[in-house]
Amino acid sequence: MKVEEIYRRDLNLLVALQVLVEERSVSRAAARLNLSQSAMSRVLGRLRSLLSDPLFTRQGQSLVPTEKALSVNRALDEPIGSLRQLLSPIDFDPKSCDQTFTILTTDYAMQTILPFALPRIYQEAPNVAFEFLPLQDEHLKEQLTYGRADLAICRPIHSIEPLQYGGLGRVGVSCLLSKQHPLANKQMCLDDYLNFPHAMIAISDGVKSLIEQALEDKPERRMVLRAYHLEAALAIVDTMPLIITVPADLAYLVSERYDLMVKPLPFHFTPFDYSMIWHPRCEHSPAQEWLRGVVKEECGKLIAKRVVEMGLDTEADAMAAPG
C-alpha cells in the first residue's frame, strides 16, 4: 500500500482497536477515549469494515477478540509504542547525551569565550562532541540553514531574520604593545595610534568595520598583519614598534602570559554586543536548549565580569578623541 493510501485511512481506528482489546468492553473503551457508547460502537463497525473481520464476539458482558484482532493488536505494539515515545515530552539528561554539536565561531569566540564554557559542558555531558567551523559573515544564514550548523557565536553584521538569537554581553577592543615599545610607558594618543604599524588579531569583519567607522576621517593606518591567532603578531612584536588591536578581554588574558602591555583605544569606541544565533529548527531541541543555556550562563558571566573589571561601560564615553 502506498503512503498516500495510508494517509486516506483513519489510523485513529487502530488505536481504538488496541483499547478495545485491552478493555474487552465497548463501554469501558468509550470511557477511555472520551466517547459515547454509541460513538464507540460506530468506531467498532468502521474497524470491522477496515480490517474485513468481525474482530470481536460477545461472551456475556465481555468482548472476545478474534485471531485477526489479536494479530493486528500484536503488530501495533511496536509502532504505537514508538509514536507514544515520539509524542511524549522529552526529559533531557545531559549525562546520556552523545550528540555532536556543530558551532560556527569567530576567532575571538574560539580563543576567549568558548574555552570558559567547555569545562562545565563536559562536566554535565561527558559524551558530547563538538565541531567548530569558521563563521562567514556574508553567509551566516546559509551556514545555519543549509550547512546544518547548530549555533553561531558572533556579532552579526547583516540582517539575520528569520534566525533566532540571544545576547551574551558587551565586548570592547584594546591594544597590546611590547614592553619595549616607545609608547609602553606613556599614554597613547590618537596620533600615536595612527603613526605606528598595526596588527589586528581575532577581529572579525564586523568589528573591523566599526573601528574603520570610528576612524573614517583620519589618515589610513599602516596595517602590517591581520591574523586569526596571536602567534603571528608575537613573531614580530619585538622587531618593530607594533600596536596589536584585539578584543579587550583577549588582551587581558594574554598580556601577562606574553609579557605585553595593555592600552585602551585612544578614540571613542562603543563596546559591541556579542550574540548566539541559531536556526528556528533548533529552537525547541532539548539538547540545544541545554547547550544554549550553558553557553549563555557561563559566557555571559565571563563577559559581564570583564565589562566591570575593564570599565567598558564607561571607557568609551570617557575617552575623547584628541585633535
Side-chain angles (χ1 to χ4, degrees):
M1 182 180 292
K2 295 181 180 179
V3 170
E4 55 269 29
E5 292 174 345
I6 296 175
Y7 173 76
R8 296 187 190 103
R9 306 296 176 95
D10 186 353
L11 298 184
N12 283 334
L13 294 173
L14 299 178
V15 178
L17 175 63
Q18 277 217 322
V19 175
L20 281 164
V21 170
E22 290 172 7
E23 296 295 341
R24 311 291 172 100
S25 163
V26 170
S27 58
R28 288 197 298 271
R32 277 184 59 181
L33 295 176
N34 200 26
L35 296 174
S36 66
Q37 188 163 338
S38 60
M40 192 71 224
S41 295
R42 289 195 295 272
V43 167
L44 178 54
R46 293 166 61 195
L47 269 167
R48 285 167 169 161
S49 175
L50 175 68
L51 298 174
S52 302
D53 189 87
L55 298 177
F56 297 92
T57 59
R58 184 167 293 281
Q59 183 175 328
Q61 297 298 313
S62 296
L63 295 178
V64 178
T66 65
E67 285 300 317
K68 178 69 174 282
L70 292 173
S71 173
V72 172
N73 183 61
R74 285 192 296 270
L76 288 173
D77 280 343
E78 184 176 341
I80 288 183
S82 296
L83 282 172
R84 185 183 291 117
Q85 183 177 2
L86 181 66
L87 297 174
S88 297
I90 299 173
D91 294 325
F92 176 71
D93 179 10
K95 284 186 167 51
S96 62
C97 180
D98 59 0
Q99 186 169 334
T100 296
F101 297 101
T102 300
I103 299 184
L104 306 172
T105 72
T106 60
D107 305 306
Y108 159 71
M110 186 69 258
Q111 295 178 72
T112 309
I113 296 180
L114 285 168
F116 285 85
L118 289 176
R120 177 179 162 190
I121 289 172
Y122 282 114
Q123 181 179 19
E124 293 185 12
N127 299 313
V128 300
F130 285 94
E131 181 178 6
F132 295 112
L133 299 178
L135 181 142
Q136 302 169 19
D137 288 303
E138 298 282 342
H139 304 290
L140 176 59
K141 282 187 189 178
E142 290 79 2
Q143 284 184 292
L144 286 170
T145 303
Y146 305 113
R148 306 302 295 176
D150 301 303
L151 189 66
I153 299 179
C154 65
R155 174 194 175 268
I157 60 176
H158 302 288
S159 169
I160 61 169
E161 293 183 355
L163 302 177
Q164 308 292 312
Y165 74 95
L168 289 175
R170 305 177 78 202
V171 177
V173 174
S174 293
C175 300
L176 285 171
L177 283 70
S178 162
K179 288 187 175 179
Q180 286 70 51
H181 196 286
L183 301 176
N185 298 310
K186 60 174 284 192
Q187 183 175 345
M188 181 170 60
C189 69
L190 181 58
D191 285 340
D192 294 330
Y193 185 81
L194 295 173
N195 291 328
F196 282 94
H198 281 266
M200 273 191 176
I201 306 298
I203 295 289
S204 69
D205 288 341
V207 179
K208 178 175 177 284
S209 67
L210 291 178
I211 295 173
E212 290 172 347
Q213 289 171 25
L215 298 172
E216 62 182 350
D217 59 344
K218 300 296 185 286
E220 189 173 348
R221 292 165 296 155
R222 182 189 167 209
M223 187 65 62
V224 299
L225 178 68
R226 189 177 180 202
Y228 302 133
H229 298 284
L230 192 64
E231 284 75 8
L234 293 175
I236 58 174
V237 73
D238 290 327
T239 64
M240 65 172 66
L242 193 65
I243 296 175
I244 307 171
T245 304
V246 293
D249 40 6
L250 178 58
Y252 279 79
L253 274 177
V254 303
S255 59
E256 289 188 12
R257 188 186 310 165
Y258 296 108
D259 200 27
L260 299 172
M261 303 283 294
V262 179
K263 298 280 186 181
L265 289 174
F267 55 88
H268 182 92
F269 182 85
T270 303
F272 52 91
D273 293 321
Y274 234 67
S275 301
M276 295 184 296
I277 302 169
W278 60 94
H279 192 274
R281 72 169 182 276
C282 302
E283 176 73 5
H284 300 295
S285 161
Q288 299 199 37
E289 285 181 333
W290 164 79
L291 176 66
R292 292 195 301 266
V294 173
V295 171
K296 180 174 178 60
E297 186 175 335
E298 294 302 310
C299 298
K301 281 192 302 189
L302 175 71
I303 291 176
K305 181 171 180 284
R306 290 174 180 166
V307 165
V308 173
E309 289 176 348
M310 294 183 279
L312 295 182
D313 280 321
T314 57
E315 179 182 290
D317 294 330
M319 186 66 64

